[in-house]
Amino acid sequence: MEDDAPVIYGLEFQARALTSQTAESDAIRFLVGTQSLKFDNQIHIIDFDDENNIISKSVLQHEAGEIWHISASPADKAVLTTCYNITSESRVVTSSAVWRMPPEWESGSHESPDDPHNSHNPQSLDLLCHLDNSAHGNASCVLWEPMGDGKRVISLADNHALLWDLTESSTQATISSSATLEGKGQLKFTSGKWSPHHNCTQLATANDTAIRGWDLRTMKQIYCIENAHGQLVRDLDFNPNKQYYLASCGDDCKVKFWDVRNISEPVKTLEEHSHWVWSVRYNHSHDQLVLTGSSDSRVILSNMVSISSEPFGHLVDDDDLSDGEDNHNDEKTKEPLQDSIISMYEEHEDSVYAIEWSSADPWLFASLSYDGRLVINRVPRALKYRILL
Amino acid sequence: MDGDVSNADTTPPDSDPARKRRVHGMLKLYYGLNEEGKTVDQAESLDPCDINGPHFDPEVYLNKLRRECSLGELMDQESCMVKQIRSLDSDMQTLVYENYNKFISATDTIRKMKNDFKKMEDEMDCLTTNMAAITVFSARISGTLQDQHAQITKLSGVHTLLRKLQFLFELPARLNKCLELQAYAQAVTSHRRARCVLQQYSHMPSFRGIQDDCHAIMDKLAQELRQKFRDGGSSAKDLSECVELLLQLDEPAEELCDKFLTHARSRLEADLLGLEAELRPVSRTDILEFIDRGCNEFVSSLCLVIASYQELFMAVGKLHAFVDSLAARYFSLVERRIQEEKSVGDNSLLVRALDRFHRRLQAVAKLLPGSAVPSQGTEIVVRAARERVKQYLAALQSFYLDSLTDVRQALAAPRLGGSSAGGGLPELLSSLSASILNQIKTVLASVHLFTAKDITFSNKPYFKGEFCSQGVRESLVVNFIKFVCQSSRQFCESAVDRGGSTPPALLLLLSRLCLDYETSTISYILTLTDEQFLVQHHSPVTAVTALCGEAREAAQKLLNHYVKVQGLIISQMLRKSVETRDWVNTIEPRNVRAVMKRVVEDTTSIDVQVGLLYEEGVRKAHSSDSSKRTFSVYSSSRQQSRYTPSYTPSAPMDTNLMSNIHKLFSERIDIFSPVEFNKVSVLTGIIKISLKTFLECVRLRTFGRYGLQQIQVDCHYLQMYLWRFVSDENLVHFLLDEIVGSTAHRCLDPAPMEQSVIEVICERG
């Protein structure tokens, strides 16, 4: 049961933006956006060959500016959105746009990263449309409608949440509705998540220490968890299988799990990181697996069995593996497994700002640290088999 | 001599000489010859030459003399012997003469006696005739008086009978009189005496009349007794008297017994009602009075009832149920009263009350051996003791919380006055821990009353064992210590969610308190408890080490939390300062930003605050001129290849490589990591948190040229002051390097400021 060693890929630039290619369900593919003020920024398309443990990359130019957030269309492999900084002499503005990858990227660029020639003449992304939000302030992230047809996105800009309809093959974006967060001081959305439940009519956003839920049909707030975290809330994620469950993380080094029907207390709190937690992700298929990345340079994979959709798990002890069929019936009677940390990944040496599960292989995930190091890890095999069998 | 003759046949001939010698001995005795002479005689008797010996043989003697002595000697011997013979002869003559005289006088005496006896015989004959005459007369008198004697006997019998009859005839009147005078006992005795006779002669009409009369009267009497019995006004003693009389009147015992109990119950219930009235808040008496009243009225009446019942009915059949039911009510009242005893001020009153309660129940135990009442009473005492311990725990806890509130106010007060934060921390700490310790001691002393020697229940097994170990040690002392730790931990948890409502100084103080508990106080308190209560560790008790571990954990948590809160306060300042500024369009730095000065000031005051309670701690050796040396790290780094600052406009690969190499050799820094119990470690933690926040904030911004330069200035300023607080100054250097490096990365026009200018600005500021 030896686990495979992590695979590490280094980018030349600093990077914060990472996403898996949501529409791709066969190849393990991640997209990374770089941050550089002086050089042209790039989007690295990282392909991982699971069998041979080999990474191959292709690079696309993203000339518009440094990338703060990246998000791939759930319907069209080639379409993605970025939030990027445009810096002029005296101003820094963050805006967002929808891009299409040039059609050749897949055929011509499957070369190993060792090949130096490839990066010399990279291709550029084709701009489909701007999510023109100059009136609404700096964009912090763009969210695709989960499992949608790639026609609807939400962008969060300062204190506005804007719902866009993409029309004409995504070349036109029009605001169909918007919500504005109002209150004292300068309110600003830090991040958000489009709920895959309730027919995709709900959105959760984070601003400062609060988490808010919105109904997209009315664009009205439906719940608000004040002081969800002691400090800034950095990220959110919905449990893909339990519609009311939500994970959040923040600067108080905690990861909290909420049942939005009862927001007075978190269902569960994890305090394993020793610095701010920047990102939290549920596994798409096995929601007991929760991944967190933190600026203490660690990635932690936790097994939150007690609040997962499979609280009793498909767990069979190693001894019983041989007669698995017989045990199928007694599963319900088994004691629930304790919530536990599965492992702590320490391959990074700088703050980890982004983590993402692969959309193709549920047992595989990537993490990205500020120094441009992308690490691809797998769920330990022992656990994988325990969950599967 | 007669005996001698009669024995002659039977006595063997050779015994004769012995007999003679005995007679001779008797004579000798008579003449005053002592025993010694005889023995000398006997000793020499075997020698035939002893002239005085009984075996003297003249022939042998003569031969011997002739053989042994000379003629002269023989002559002398002979003359001497002649002389002796002569003297012996004269002696013998004297003796014979004397004996003769005595014989003569004896003969005279005998003759005189003969005459006297003859006279006496005549007088005896005369007496005999007189006696015969008397006998004759006496017989004649007896014969005459015979008839009259029988008559007298008969008369006296009649007299007695008449007296009895008179008694019988008078009986109704007498009974009536008794009834009138209420001398029931006398009436019943009289009636009992007459009853049998009346019964026996009831076939005679006159007696029957009497009997009927008596019956009527006695019925009336019984009626009256019953009435009296029923009235219930009479005392228990009267009551038992009544019952006794009724019993003698052949009332059915069963019924009486029931009635007796019913009656007793009603009176005891009246007592209970009285007691219950005392329970009402209006007529509030203290518990001792209450128990006293209960004992004096209820318990003593109960005892009386038990005693008289046993005396009267000689059985305990219904008594147990009766006693149990009443005692249960009494106990419930007592328990209600005990439960109302909430104030924990004076325990002695309660203990004395319980003692009295328990003591009085022992009387019941003696009277009614099989009863469950005393054991139930003991249970009540045990419950009360348990409840008491709980109350004391609650009191201790609220005292602790009150003390904390006081400390909180004391912490807030000097700040209002404008003096430095946490000025009197050590004093507050010592007064807090002293007052808690005092309180614990007071409570222990109060609880100790339960086990005092003069308290009757203190030798019950519960109070000897479980009360000491489980009650006092575990549920009072151990629970209190646990409570202290727990409430301290709660400060850590609640404060995070409510945004640091607990003043940091309080966290620090509590942390020190818990640490002190771990090092000494806990073991002191437990030893004190064990000594006072002689705790025998039959049941498993919480070990000192476990408690110490808990206290240490709490101390650690509090200190960690303190670091977190203080770090957060500084972090917030730094974050605001970074987030709110337009770094692209800022002007050329002329000063260190005020916020940095504020950071250094705050750090210094935290340093002072922590220093008041915690020791300095170890720091890694640093050079004497730290601020200068580290200053060169990023000023002259371009010349030194030690660390190429990332703002050199070189290839990005280069930067990454350099910083990665740097990181390879530096250890991973855990930002929010547990700290040690010393000042340096605490300060290191706070500075780490602050600088890491600074770094992360910087990375989210974009800087212009002057923005970078401002950060350079700020970092240099921090460098100058912060190194002295931390255990390893390299940590500060590393983080500040990272900040400047990251800023350079995020800078549109990375033109660093000259080191000398930075220095000037910093020194001026």
Side-chain angles (χ1 to χ4, degrees):
Chain A
M1 285 285 184
E2 222 13 59
D3 283 317
D4 292 317
V7 180
I8 299 177
Y9 171 74
L11 282 82
E12 295 89 337
F13 299 103
Q14 289 170 330
R16 279 175 183 272
L18 167 73
T19 184
S20 69
Q21 198 176 28
T22 323
E24 174 64 72
S25 56
D26 297 328
I28 298 162
R29 188 171 297 146
F30 293 99
L31 308 176
V32 180
T34 64
Q35 280 196 318
S36 172
L37 289 165
K38 285 145 230 135
F39 302 92
D40 276 345
N41 284 288
Q42 303 166 333
I43 287 178
H44 289 234
I45 303 162
I46 316 260
D47 266 283
F48 181 62
D49 182 348
D50 195 21
E51 279 166 26
N52 303 314
N53 248 17
I54 293 172
I55 280 181
S56 52
K57 67 151 186 180
S58 46
V59 177
L60 296 171
Q61 290 288 17
H62 181 277
E63 281 141 8
E66 54 173 8
I67 303 168
W68 287 85
H69 186 263
I70 187 168
S71 168
S73 159
D76 188 341
K77 285 186 215 179
V79 176
L80 60 100
T81 59
T82 59
C83 297
Y84 54 91
N85 270 7
I86 308 166
T87 48
S88 60
E89 270 311 301
S90 60
R91 263 160 47 83
V92 179
V93 179
T94 314
S95 54
S96 47
V98 187
W99 308 87
R100 174 176 289 280
M101 295 190 255
E104 306 84 36
W105 67 271
E106 206 164 8
S107 54
S109 58
H110 268 272
E111 287 154 51
S112 70
D114 309 322
D115 186 353
H117 304 290
N118 190 49
S119 55
H120 281 300
N121 192 17
Q123 293 170 301
S124 288
L125 287 167
D126 299 331
L127 177 71
L128 288 177
C129 63
H130 283 289
L131 298 176
D132 186 12
N133 54 1
S134 51
H136 298 109
N138 293 317
S140 62
C141 62
V142 176
L143 311 166
W144 288 91
E145 183 179 28
M147 297 166 290
D149 50 5
K151 295 265 170 65
R152 299 214 297 170
V153 294
I154 290 173
S155 72
L156 298 176
D158 280 354
N159 59 340
H160 303 288
L162 309 167
L163 178 61
W164 302 81
D165 280 334
L166 301 178
T167 48
E168 319 213 354
S169 315
S170 304
T171 52
Q172 260 198 344
T174 48
I175 295 177
S176 67
S177 58
S178 72
T180 306
L181 182 59
E182 281 172 9
K184 274 193 287 181
Q186 257 198 321
L187 297 173
K188 215 177 134 184
F189 287 122
T190 48
S191 80
K193 208 81 189 180
W194 196 330
S195 165
H197 307 293
H198 315 288
N199 277 333
C200 302
T201 54
Q202 288 189 10
L203 170 75
T205 60
N207 68 295
D208 200 19
T209 61
I211 298 172
R212 285 161 206 277
W214 303 85
D215 188 332
L216 295 174
R217 294 166 297 191
T218 59
M219 287 313 252
K220 289 270 165 36
Q221 183 176 306
I222 45 178
Y223 57 85
C224 174
I225 311 173
E226 299 277 5
N227 289 322
H229 284 263
Q231 299 172 58
L232 207 66
V233 181
R234 289 279 170 192
D235 197 16
L236 303 166
D237 199 16
F238 280 99
N239 186 318
N241 301 323
K242 292 181 88 175
Q243 55 181 343
Y244 297 109
Y245 275 67
L246 176 68
S248 68
C249 59
D251 286 3
D252 56 0
C253 311
K254 290 177 185 168
V255 179
K256 293 187 179 180
F257 297 89
W258 303 91
D259 182 338
V260 297
R261 292 166 297 185
N262 177 18
I263 55 174
S264 54
E265 285 289 322
V267 181
K268 202 97 191 176
T269 302
L270 286 181
E271 282 181 84
E272 300 299 335
H273 285 290
S274 70
H275 202 244
W276 306 351
V277 188
W278 284 76
S279 186
V280 59
R281 287 288 179 271
Y282 275 109
N283 187 297
H284 304 307
S285 2
H286 304 283
D287 56 90
Q288 62 267 51
L289 300 178
V290 176
L291 207 54
T292 52
S294 152
S295 43
D296 64 1
S297 318
R298 289 193 183 95
V299 174
I300 293 180
L301 177 61
S302 315
N303 192 11
M304 304 304 290
V305 183
S306 69
I307 51 170
S308 77
S309 59
E310 306 172 357
F312 297 98
H314 296 276
L315 296 172
V316 181
D317 288 339
D318 287 358
D319 318 353
D320 304 329
L321 278 176
S322 49
D323 48 3
E325 268 309 298
D326 304 343
N327 284 317
H328 228 33
N329 300 328
D330 338 306
E331 264 167 25
K332 292 286 178 205
T333 63
K334 286 200 174 178
E335 283 292 302
L337 201 78
Q338 288 293 306
D339 295 342
S340 60
I341 296 235
I342 298 160
S343 59
M344 207 178 259
Y345 300 94
E346 310 215 346
E347 284 85 19
H348 292 287
E349 272 149 15
D350 206 331
S351 307
V352 178
Y353 293 133
I355 46 170
E356 204 67 62
W357 291 96
S358 162
S359 53
D361 181 351
W363 308 107
L364 193 129
F365 59 89
S367 53
L368 179 67
S369 57
Y370 190 59
D371 55 5
R373 181 181 295 185
L374 180 82
V375 179
I376 295 178
N377 262 307
R378 292 180 184 85
V379 175
R381 261 189 211 152
L383 180 74
K384 173 175 165 181
Y385 291 140
R386 284 173 74 189
I387 291 174
L388 284 178
L389 294 173
Chain B
M1 280 288 126
D2 294 348
D4 201 8
V5 174
S6 63
N7 283 339
D9 302 346
T10 53
T11 318
D14 53 295
S15 70
D16 238 354
R19 260 186 65 97
K20 273 185 196 151
R21 213 157 337 132
R22 215 178 64 206
V23 173
H24 180 69
M26 284 164 75
L27 277 172
K28 262 197 213 164
L29 213 66
Y30 180 73
Y31 289 110
L33 275 165
N34 59 3
E35 206 56 29
E36 277 156 37
K38 196 179 161 191
T39 48
V40 169
D41 217 4
Q42 276 174 341
E44 287 167 359
S45 60
L46 291 173
D47 190 1
C49 305
D50 185 2
I51 200 158
N52 294 322
H55 297 276
F56 179 67
D57 189 343
E59 227 29 66
V60 178
Y61 182 66
L62 206 56
N63 286 341
K64 190 183 165 210
L65 280 179
R66 264 196 311 243
R67 246 191 342 262
E68 287 172 359
C69 303
S70 60
L71 190 61
E73 279 172 337
L74 278 175
M75 294 296 287
D76 287 347
Q77 190 81 30
E78 200 236 332
S79 63
C80 173
M81 208 168 286
V82 167
K83 213 187 278 174
Q84 279 181 352
I85 288 168
R86 239 176 242 152
S87 80
L88 278 174
D89 274 346
S90 71
D91 282 353
M92 201 166 346
Q93 268 178 6
T94 324
L95 276 173
V96 167
Y97 182 70
E98 276 177 6
N99 280 350
Y100 180 74
N101 277 347
K102 280 179 186 165
F103 186 70
I104 297 286
S105 68
T107 315
D108 287 349
T109 313
I110 286 169
R111 194 177 296 143
K112 212 174 168 186
M113 274 171 69
K114 223 180 212 168
N115 286 335
D116 287 350
F117 271 117
K118 206 167 269 167
K119 204 173 166 188
M120 208 154 74
E121 221 165 80
D122 294 344
E123 281 176 9
M124 282 306 283
D125 284 344
C126 180
L127 186 66
T128 311
T129 49
N130 283 348
M131 281 306 287
I134 288 170
T135 311
V136 171
F137 275 118
S138 162
R140 202 182 296 159
I141 289 169
S142 292
T144 355
L145 288 183
Q146 194 77 44
D147 297 343
Q148 251 156 19
H149 177 73
Q151 223 163 352
I152 286 169
T153 314
K154 202 176 159 191
L155 277 177
S156 115
V158 168
H159 178 71
T160 319
L161 189 65
L162 280 176
R163 280 183 58 159
K164 280 182 183 168
L165 280 175
Q166 190 185 9
F167 173 76
L168 281 182
F169 286 129
E170 278 175 4
L171 188 59
R174 186 190 291 245
L175 288 179
N176 269 332
K177 201 174 182 190
C178 284
L179 205 56
E180 244 166 67
L181 293 173
Q182 297 200 324
Y184 300 119
Q186 208 185 334
V188 171
T189 326
S190 309
H191 180 248
R192 265 164 58 87
R193 270 165 62 194
R195 197 162 51 179
C196 295
V197 181
L198 287 173
Q199 190 68 36
Q200 202 179 340
Y201 295 102
S202 56
H203 56 277
M204 296 163 90
S206 54
F207 282 107
R208 176 163 221 120
I210 293 171
Q211 192 183 17
D212 289 347
D213 280 358
C214 283
H215 270 307
I217 293 167
M218 286 321 283
D219 282 347
K220 202 171 152 202
L221 188 140
Q223 208 68 43
E224 216 158 301
L225 278 176
R226 264 185 234 117
Q227 185 59 42
K228 191 176 165 193
F229 185 55
R230 221 171 285 130
D231 279 350
S234 45
S235 71
K237 206 176 151 198
D238 287 349
L239 197 70
S240 56
E241 211 176 88
C242 270
V243 172
E244 199 178 348
L245 294 178
L246 282 171
L247 270 181
Q248 285 175 4
L249 287 177
D250 286 343
E251 288 283 319
E254 193 72 3
E255 197 180 306
L256 261 184
C257 159
D258 284 346
K259 272 190 188 160
F260 176 76
L261 287 183
T262 325
H263 187 73
R265 180 187 296 275
S266 71
R267 284 193 312 108
L268 288 171
E269 273 173 359
D271 285 347
L272 286 176
L273 282 178
L275 271 184
E276 203 164 1
E278 299 261 330
L279 275 175
R280 263 180 244 124
V282 189
S283 58
R284 166 66 67 227
T285 48
D286 71 30
I287 186 157
L288 192 59
E289 271 177 59
F290 178 83
I291 295 284
D292 254 353
R293 187 166 165 192
C295 289
N296 291 339
E297 290 179 359
F298 176 78
V299 179
S300 56
S301 313
L302 186 68
C303 287
L304 209 60
V305 168
I306 293 170
S308 43
Y309 184 93
Q310 284 180 333
E311 206 178 297
L312 293 173
F313 302 108
M314 297 296 174
V316 289
K318 292 174 183 168
L319 197 55
H320 275 298
F322 170 76
V323 170
D324 286 351
S325 72
L326 279 170
R329 284 189 52 190
Y330 173 58
F331 288 157
S332 79
L333 287 178
V334 169
E335 270 196 292
R336 263 171 64 192
R337 182 66 186 87
I338 290 172
Q339 271 162 16
E340 278 168 27
E341 201 63 15
K342 288 259 176 358
S343 88
V344 286
D346 187 13
N347 197 33
S348 65
L349 208 61
L350 176 72
V351 173
R352 265 163 56 206
L354 287 176
D355 178 40
R356 201 155 299 178
F357 169 72
H358 187 259
R359 203 188 292 270
R360 290 300 286 264
L361 285 181
Q362 300 313 304
V364 178
K366 269 178 210 146
L367 284 171
L368 199 61
S371 172
V373 170
S375 64
Q376 280 168 0
T378 312
E379 262 167 45
I380 285 179
V381 173
V382 166
R383 269 203 293 277
R386 247 186 225 138
E387 195 53 40
R388 202 64 177 163
V389 167
K390 264 187 214 153
Q391 283 168 4
Y392 272 114
L393 178 64
L396 268 182
Q397 289 174 346
S398 70
F399 175 82
Y400 174 71
L401 292 180
D402 288 350
S403 319
L404 283 192
T405 315
D406 290 349
V407 169
R408 219 183 250 251
Q409 277 162 0
L411 283 175
R415 246 177 252 167
L416 293 175
S419 64
S420 69
L425 274 183
E427 291 78 18
L428 278 175
L429 175 69
S430 64
S431 75
L432 176 65
S433 74
S435 69
I436 291 173
L437 200 59
N438 259 339
Q439 194 68 15
I440 290 177
K441 280 182 183 167
T442 321
V443 164
L444 279 183
S446 301
V447 175
H448 196 241
L449 290 174
F450 278 110
T451 61
K453 285 230 160 45
D454 56 338
I455 302 294
T456 44
F457 53 74
S458 69
N459 58 5
K460 292 275 170 204
Y462 170 75
F463 282 96
K464 278 190 163 171
E466 205 194 330
F467 178 72
C468 293
S469 66
Q470 290 303 316
V472 175
R473 189 184 193 274
E474 290 299 298
S475 53
L476 186 63
V477 179
V478 171
N479 271 357
F480 176 65
I481 294 170
K482 279 185 177 164
F483 171 78
V484 170
C485 297
Q486 217 155 25
S487 68
S488 305
R489 280 205 298 272
Q490 269 165 9
F491 276 114
C492 303
E493 278 146 28
S494 61
V496 168
D497 295 334
R498 288 169 210 157
S501 58
T502 319
L506 183 65
L507 292 174
L508 191 67
L509 188 110
L510 285 178
S511 151
R512 183 72 222 190
L513 183 75
C514 286
L515 192 66
D516 287 346
Y517 266 66
E518 189 248 334
T519 48
S520 60
T521 316
I522 287 178
S523 65
Y524 171 72
I525 294 173
L526 284 185
T527 316
L528 192 77
T529 315
D530 288 358
E531 274 170 6
Q532 271 195 20
F533 290 89
L534 298 171
V535 172
Q536 294 149 346
H537 296 259
H538 291 313
S539 43
V541 292
T542 316
V544 177
T545 46
L547 278 182
C548 286
E550 204 165 316
R552 191 177 179 85
E553 198 186 303
Q556 181 76 60
K557 221 167 179 177
L558 282 164
L559 197 61
N560 287 348
H561 190 62
Y562 174 76
V563 169
K564 225 174 197 175
V565 168
Q566 293 285 32
L568 187 64
I569 292 170
I570 295 178
S571 292
Q572 291 294 7
M573 285 195 292
L574 286 169
R575 169 188 278 178
K576 284 270 142 54
S577 80
V578 175
E579 278 177 358
T580 52
R581 200 172 170 121
D582 180 3
W583 291 98
V584 180
N585 298 314
T586 188
I587 51 155
E588 191 171 1
R590 301 190 189 285
N591 268 314
V592 178
R593 282 186 301 146
V595 70
M596 294 301 155
K597 292 181 181 167
R598 189 66 205 286
V599 166
V600 170
E601 273 169 27
D602 280 11
T603 314
T604 313
S605 71
I606 291 169
D607 183 64
V608 170
Q609 193 178 57
V610 178
L612 289 172
L613 292 181
Y614 278 99
E615 295 74 32
E616 180 72 26
V618 224
R619 56 176 90 225
K620 286 189 184 164
H622 50 76
S623 60
S624 55
D625 192 18
S626 264
S627 61
K628 281 283 179 231
R629 192 186 65 83
T630 54
F631 174 53
S632 65
V633 167
Y634 46 113
S635 62
S636 50
S637 53
R638 250 175 290 183
Q639 293 94 330
Q640 300 177 355
S641 58
R642 186 176 157 201
Y643 171 51
T644 314
S646 34
Y647 48 81
T648 26
S650 60
M653 274 297 277
D654 194 15
T655 322
N656 275 341
L657 187 68
M658 290 315 290
S659 85
N660 284 348
I661 289 172
H662 182 90
K663 281 174 188 166
L664 269 183
F665 291 102
S666 63
E667 280 185 19
R668 184 187 289 273
I669 303 165
D670 275 343
I671 305 302
F672 290 103
S673 56
V675 293
E676 288 161 29
F677 293 107
N678 60 56
K679 192 178 83 175
V680 169
S681 179
V682 169
L683 264 291
T684 308
I686 293 169
I687 290 171
K688 256 190 331 197
I689 292 172
S690 315
L691 293 185
K692 179 78 178 177
T693 305
F694 197 9
L695 173 67
E696 292 295 339
C697 290
V698 159
R699 283 180 175 185
L700 288 171
R701 304 285 298 177
T702 309
F703 294 84
R705 176 199 294 190
Y706 296 130
L708 166 65
Q709 291 183 356
Q710 181 68 60
I711 295 287
Q712 267 184 294
V713 170
D714 290 348
C715 283
H716 181 77
Y717 182 79
L718 290 180
Q719 181 98 31
M720 277 167 64
Y721 290 98
L722 292 186
W723 64 268
R724 69 190 84 200
F725 297 122
V726 299
S727 61
D728 182 6
E729 57 189 283
N730 287 327
L731 189 82
V732 176
H733 306 162
F734 172 72
L735 283 168
L736 289 173
D737 279 356
E738 279 278 301
I739 293 168
V740 177
S742 289
T743 316
H745 261 301
R746 308 277 328 137
C747 183
L748 296 168
D749 177 20
M753 193 179 241
E754 272 302 312
Q755 188 59 44
S756 54
V757 183
I758 295 175
E759 276 174 41
V760 169
I761 292 175
C762 284
E763 266 148 40
R764 198 181 57 202

